[in-house]
Amino acid sequence: IMYVKVFKQSHVTLMKTICFFRHICSLNYVKMEDGESQLLSDEGQTPEPLLGSLDIFIFSLIAGLLIYWFLFRKKTDKDIIIQTLSISNKGCSFELFIHQSNRNVVVFYGSQTGTAEEFANRLAKDAHRYGMKGMAADPEEYDMSELSRLKEIPNSMAVFCMATYGEGDPTDNAQEFYDWMQGTDDDLEGVNFAVFGLGNKTYEHFNATGKYTDKRLAELGGKRVFDLGLGDDDSNLEEDFISWKEQFWPAVCEFFGVEATGEDSSIRQFELVVHNDINMNQVYTGEMGRLKSFQTQKPPFDSKNPFLAPVSVNRKLNKGGNRHLMHIELDIMDSKIRYDAGDHVAVYPINDAVVVSRIGERLGVDLDTAISLKNLDEECNKKHPFPCPTTYRTALSHYLDINNKPRKNVLYDLAQYASDPQEQENMRKMASASPEGKALYQSWVLDSERNILAILEDLPSLNPPIDHLCELLPRLQARYYSIASSSKVHPNSIHICAVVIEYTTETGRVYKGVATNWLKNKEVTENGHKHTVPMYVRRSQFRLPFKPSNPVIMIGPGTGIAPFMGFIQERAWQKEQGKDVGETILYFGCRHKNEDFLYQQELEEFERVGVLTQLNIAFSRDQERKIYVQHLLKKNKEQLWKLIHSNNAHIYVCGDARNMARDVHTAFYEIAEEVGGLTHTQAVDYFKKLMTKGRYSQDVWS
Ligand code: NAP
């Protein structure tokens, strides 16, 4: 109440202050007999004092604070670091780029998981080989409506590495640029461009953003320097990128009339600064943005400022088998975080401490050395590859992906540090585009699942400086899980349902998924101690129908059940509120009834009380012949067609994108053909329309 009162009073003070100054501008002063001036009101009356003593106090306080903030507050190193890390160039004009840097190639990236950004960096680096100067840029940080100004730079080119995300959407950082392209009629004549799209063929809208960018820039008059490249993450995205790049640069040379200088592109982008006597309070310990943000948590929470949510529940869901499926509850009380059923929760995991230490031992470095990696190009927006100053241990634990198979450019750049000529040659070969090199990389790195530690262990002569390794490894990404709860029922917690990834690779090593293994260990201890997880919520389009009376058909085998736990809880809540709730049908699938029937008790209870009007379960391995969810769909084809075609039912599919989602889709085509009498083409068209109307939604992962 105090806070509201002071706020209100501040507002009144501000208004009065404005009135006060407006009065001064039009005041009538009269000379009093004692020589003092007296302010008169318009009517010539002596006015009421405009500012009371409380107003004057608040006004002075605000003015004092502002003066202190702008003039006297000492800028500490910490402030400078924070400033460089925060997105300082939001809406940055092209002016700087055009007139103050001598670059002529700008590679914009629409990146969600960091791959498009990584490819953009590689292209920007390549530009040196052709006597051009490149830079990678985040479209979110530029005023992209000035794109046409690029033509002011002679022989310039904009390249776009655009990832497609979700249901054909642009990535978060490319959304504004995408909206601009849709709405603008700017003339891009004279702007040279090329696009490489990053997508996945298992998804319906393969590379939609890359395709749109390429088409739209040409429509607006831009000059396409080279054909659109379409990378497919379902096969080998990097291979697609390299193949495209190999034809792209010769086309660029021909277009601009330049030649390759033959200069090696293996150049350092960052220099190492070792901080020997730094105050450890200024060293990042895993924060994503603001230093010490984990000690003093301040909302709003997002990807740059995650909330440290205590893990209040961590229980094993399966009764048998050798897998570990888990239900985790994150406490979001007091965080002001809001979510809706169907949203995703992102968590920032930490790499396995044993693997981190082994990298340090193998390279013979003290991992607790405080360092910074500083961009050698001072004009570049990206000052550091990850928050700096930090220690090698923090970088390898929180900021770098050490668990995945390194990409070819990492092998190429590291090869110089292999003292054995044979090892060096093999590394170079694997990085090359030769058929022999491709085959070697496929078998030795990809199929054998060698991460950076395995590579260092299996190539004993390879001794890279750790700072160069840290520069080359990609950033460790947040992991997204479909939220398995409804905020109507659980406003203070977010539930996760996930399976722990662990298996033995071809080389006999145990592969452990970073995030799920890290989450598995976050158990509530007997003394009540709760581990915390840095997290934030990402909004999705996966939503229950606006009208609760619409029937819903949910298909989610395995951990694909996750969002449907939220949906079912929400339908139960709607029922409790007296709403007319339509049919709620679930198709769930698991291996064995006695092993991995996830949430069995809860689901059977929902069925008993009539929230779930139908619970269909495909136990795939309880009989000789496999039974999957799509087989059960086909069994109930008449009922389903009626619900879809006549009763406005909404269909939801969650889980594996590669096989399950496609097979379920096919089952629906068959239902439309067999019961609805449609031809195959008509059936495809029918479900396409349902998707556009938001009546067939997928939350699928590959
Ligand atoms: P799982 O236990 O391996 O599989 C669940 C059931 O689906 C099993 O009975 C399996 O049968 C069956 N199945 C296999 N192929 C199928 C197909 N083509 N069509 C229909 N059913 C099929 O599943 P999981 O380990 O939980 O993984 C499910 C997927 O959901 C994963 O890709 C995961 O990434 C994803 N997902 C996870 C979340 C999350 O928040 N954790 C959210 C959404 C999606 P058999 O094994 O006997 O063949």
Side-chain angles (χ1 to χ4, degrees):
I1 291 168
M2 268 279 290
Y3 180 79
V4 171
K5 273 189 178 165
V6 170
F7 179 78
K8 272 187 173 168
Q9 186 58 43
S10 309
H11 183 245
V12 172
T13 307
L14 192 69
M15 297 315 290
K16 283 184 177 178
T17 311
I18 292 166
C19 291
F20 177 73
F21 284 113
R22 284 178 61 187
H23 260 80
I24 287 179
C25 295
S26 58
L27 38 82
N28 303 317
Y29 278 101
V30 290
K31 201 85 180 149
M32 302 298 284
E33 281 173 4
D34 61 4
E36 291 280 355
S37 294
Q38 161 92 48
L39 177 65
L40 295 183
S41 69
D42 287 348
E43 291 83 31
Q45 305 287 313
T46 306
E48 292 268 320
L50 265 168
L51 301 177
S53 51
L54 182 60
D55 297 326
I56 289 168
F57 172 72
I58 290 176
F59 179 69
S60 319
L61 194 71
I62 294 171
L65 280 173
L66 286 174
I67 290 168
Y68 167 76
W69 185 261
F70 287 113
L71 296 182
F72 299 113
R73 200 180 64 106
K74 189 169 160 267
K75 280 203 185 340
T76 60
D77 288 350
K78 188 173 92 179
D79 294 324
I80 293 160
I81 292 158
I82 293 164
Q83 277 170 17
T84 51
L85 263 172
S86 64
I87 298 173
S88 52
N89 276 318
K90 187 113 186 135
C92 193
S93 161
F94 273 64
E95 194 63 38
L96 253 170
F97 179 74
I98 291 166
H99 294 295
Q100 286 179 25
S101 74
N102 52 352
R103 295 180 180 86
N104 47 4
V105 178
V106 54
V107 192
F108 291 106
Y109 52 85
S111 191
Q112 198 74 27
T113 61
T115 314
E117 180 180 357
E118 198 191 309
F119 288 0
N121 279 321
R122 282 162 73 171
L123 283 171
K125 241 173 144 185
D126 282 351
H128 288 267
R129 269 200 279 168
Y130 304 91
M132 303 172 108
K133 199 168 174 209
M135 93 178 205
D138 182 345
E140 199 176 35
E141 295 180 15
Y142 282 82
D143 181 356
M144 296 301 284
S145 65
E146 292 188 352
L147 187 61
S148 63
R149 296 197 55 196
L150 263 194
K151 59 183 164 226
E152 293 173 32
I153 309 173
N155 287 341
S156 66
M157 166 176 69
V159 187
F160 295 83
C161 290
M162 304 297 281
T164 296
Y165 171 71
E167 299 300 294
D169 305 318
T171 58
D172 292 346
N173 77 321
Q175 185 67 53
E176 253 176 68
F177 169 56
Y178 189 83
D179 294 343
W180 172 77
M181 281 195 291
Q182 285 189 314
T184 188
D185 55 0
D186 275 13
D187 181 6
L188 295 188
E189 204 190 326
V191 174
N192 304 314
F193 77 92
V195 181
F196 181 79
L198 295 87
N200 186 315
K201 273 214 172 105
T202 53
Y203 289 79
E204 178 81 13
H205 308 275
F206 175 58
N207 256 315
T209 307
K211 287 177 188 167
Y212 179 78
T213 307
D214 181 69
K215 182 175 128 258
R216 189 70 188 129
L217 294 178
E219 275 170 7
L220 292 169
K223 176 79 189 143
R224 188 184 287 113
V225 174
F226 186 60
D227 294 341
L228 167 70
L230 295 176
D232 177 15
D233 200 22
D234 193 40
S235 52
N236 191 334
L237 187 59
E238 192 187 25
E239 213 58 78
D240 294 338
F241 173 65
I242 292 173
S243 306
W244 179 80
K245 204 161 73 96
E246 289 206 331
Q247 295 168 45
F248 164 74
W249 283 115
V252 171
C253 287
E254 200 183 319
F255 188 86
F256 292 111
V258 292
E259 272 179 23
T261 58
E263 227 176 83
D264 200 318
S265 70
S266 169
I267 40 166
R268 293 289 301 263
Q269 198 184 341
F270 297 93
E271 68 172 342
L272 172 68
V273 181
V274 177
H275 305 285
N276 285 323
D277 36 36
I278 193 169
N279 175 354
M280 288 313 270
N281 274 328
Q282 290 177 4
V283 175
Y284 279 84
T285 55
E287 300 93 327
M288 293 299 148
R290 183 171 55 85
L291 190 71
K292 300 281 166 236
S293 59
F294 288 160
Q295 271 102 319
T296 46
Q297 292 251 281
K298 285 184 208 147
F301 296 107
D302 54 26
S303 60
K304 296 254 158 53
N305 181 34
F307 174 63
L308 283 184
V311 177
S312 52
V313 176
N314 184 351
R315 87 184 140 89
K316 190 174 176 183
L317 283 173
N318 50 320
K319 294 189 278 283
N322 46 17
R323 296 187 302 163
H324 185 101
L325 290 129
M326 56 195 174
H327 170 85
I328 285 177
E329 295 185 12
L330 304 176
D331 186 347
I332 54 163
M333 182 108 95
D334 301 328
S335 67
K336 296 198 172 78
I337 289 175
R338 301 274 170 271
Y339 73 96
D340 283 305
D343 283 342
H344 297 136
V345 56
V347 307
Y348 282 110
I350 303 173
N351 283 313
D352 187 341
V354 176
V355 178
V356 171
S357 297
R358 275 169 57 195
I359 292 177
E361 280 158 26
R362 168 64 180 76
L363 296 178
V365 284
D366 174 7
L367 290 181
D368 297 313
T369 313
I371 55 118
S372 288
L373 287 186
K374 233 178 80 192
N375 203 324
L376 288 160
D377 184 348
E378 283 175 4
E379 290 159 8
C380 191
N381 287 345
K382 193 171 171 175
K383 303 292 173 209
H384 315 282
F386 43 75
C388 288
T390 189
T391 63
Y392 287 125
R393 190 181 302 283
T394 302
L396 293 170
S397 306
H398 295 261
Y399 301 136
L400 297 169
D401 183 345
I402 57 170
N403 206 37
N404 271 318
K405 297 148 276 194
R407 290 197 197 281
K408 287 186 164 194
N409 66 311
V410 178
L411 296 184
Y412 181 83
D413 280 12
L414 290 185
Q416 59 185 306
Y417 304 112
S419 53
D420 176 341
Q422 189 57 49
E423 285 182 1
Q424 187 174 94
E425 193 194 318
N426 280 344
M427 288 182 79
R428 291 248 153 86
K429 198 187 279 171
M430 283 190 279
S432 77
S434 71
E436 206 191 344
K438 275 184 191 174
L440 188 60
Y441 177 74
Q442 181 68 38
S443 67
W444 200 78
V445 178
L446 299 184
D447 298 345
S448 310
E449 305 203 42
R450 281 188 167 88
N451 61 17
I452 191 64
L453 177 61
I455 288 174
L456 288 169
E457 283 173 349
D458 292 348
L459 297 176
S461 87
L462 179 62
N463 278 305
I466 191 165
D467 57 295
H468 199 177
L469 184 67
C470 289
E471 171 177 332
L472 290 170
L473 291 173
R475 280 293 291 268
L476 181 63
Q477 298 295 324
R479 307 307 207 254
Y480 296 101
Y481 298 94
S482 310
I483 295 180
S485 52
S486 157
S487 59
K488 299 288 186 300
V489 184
H490 300 282
N492 293 323
S493 66
I494 281 180
H495 302 183
I496 292 175
C497 165
V499 56
V500 176
I501 314 277
E502 190 173 326
Y503 55 85
T504 306
T505 67
E506 273 182 15
T507 63
R509 296 178 167 95
V510 177
Y511 176 89
K512 285 183 170 188
V514 174
T516 51
N517 279 282
W518 171 76
L519 280 171
K520 181 188 169 194
N521 292 325
K522 303 228 161 266
E523 282 176 351
V524 183
T525 58
E526 269 170 20
N527 64 9
H529 170 75
K530 289 174 187 163
H531 294 272
T532 55
V533 170
M535 53 76 73
Y536 64 97
V537 167
R538 191 177 62 189
R539 295 275 163 191
S540 90
Q541 309 281 337
F542 203 67
R543 288 280 182 270
L544 275 170
F546 182 69
K547 277 188 358 203
S549 58
N550 282 357
V552 298
I553 303 161
M554 303 171 285
I555 301 125
T559 49
I561 183 79
F564 303 134
M565 290 310 291
F567 278 12
I568 300 165
Q569 288 169 9
E570 189 128 338
R571 298 282 269 191
W573 177 85
Q574 288 170 337
K575 243 180 149 198
E576 267 171 39
Q577 304 297 303
K579 300 235 168 82
D580 171 20
V581 178
E583 284 207 55
T584 306
I585 298 173
L586 176 69
Y587 284 82
F588 172 68
C590 63
R591 297 176 182 181
H592 299 285
K593 183 169 182 178
N594 294 328
E595 192 180 295
D596 55 349
F597 184 171
L598 310 179
Y599 301 106
Q600 178 175 4
Q601 254 185 346
E602 290 92 326
L603 292 175
E604 286 175 349
E605 180 59 14
F606 279 129
E607 191 187 27
R608 194 187 64 77
V609 297
V611 171
L612 263 182
T613 47
Q614 232 187 69
L615 172 59
N616 306 282
I617 306 170
F619 299 110
S620 60
R621 303 186 190 181
D622 274 348
Q623 59 288 310
E624 214 171 290
R625 202 175 51 88
K626 291 257 171 148
I627 298 181
Y628 287 157
V629 280
Q630 58 272 28
H631 300 131
L632 304 188
L633 290 170
K634 289 292 299 287
K635 245 184 169 174
N636 300 334
K637 57 186 178 185
E638 269 90 12
Q639 181 214 15
L640 288 169
W641 181 248
K642 187 161 173 272
L643 284 169
I644 299 163
H645 194 60
S646 313
N647 299 352
N648 257 322
H650 286 230
I651 304 166
Y652 301 90
V653 184
C654 179
D656 164 51
R658 190 161 292 133
N659 300 310
M660 185 277 299
R662 198 198 48 216
D663 294 349
V664 165
H665 217 118
T666 308
F668 277 114
Y669 293 155
E670 287 169 8
I671 292 172
E673 287 164 45
E674 290 165 23
V675 189
L678 307 188
T679 63
H680 182 68
T681 323
Q682 285 170 331
V684 171
D685 208 39
Y686 186 90
F687 284 98
K688 229 180 213 153
K689 280 198 185 115
L690 281 195
M691 276 189 178
T692 328
K693 287 185 197 158
R695 281 185 49 208
Y696 191 115
S697 310
Q698 304 193 86
D699 178 9
V700 289
W701 312 65
S702 59

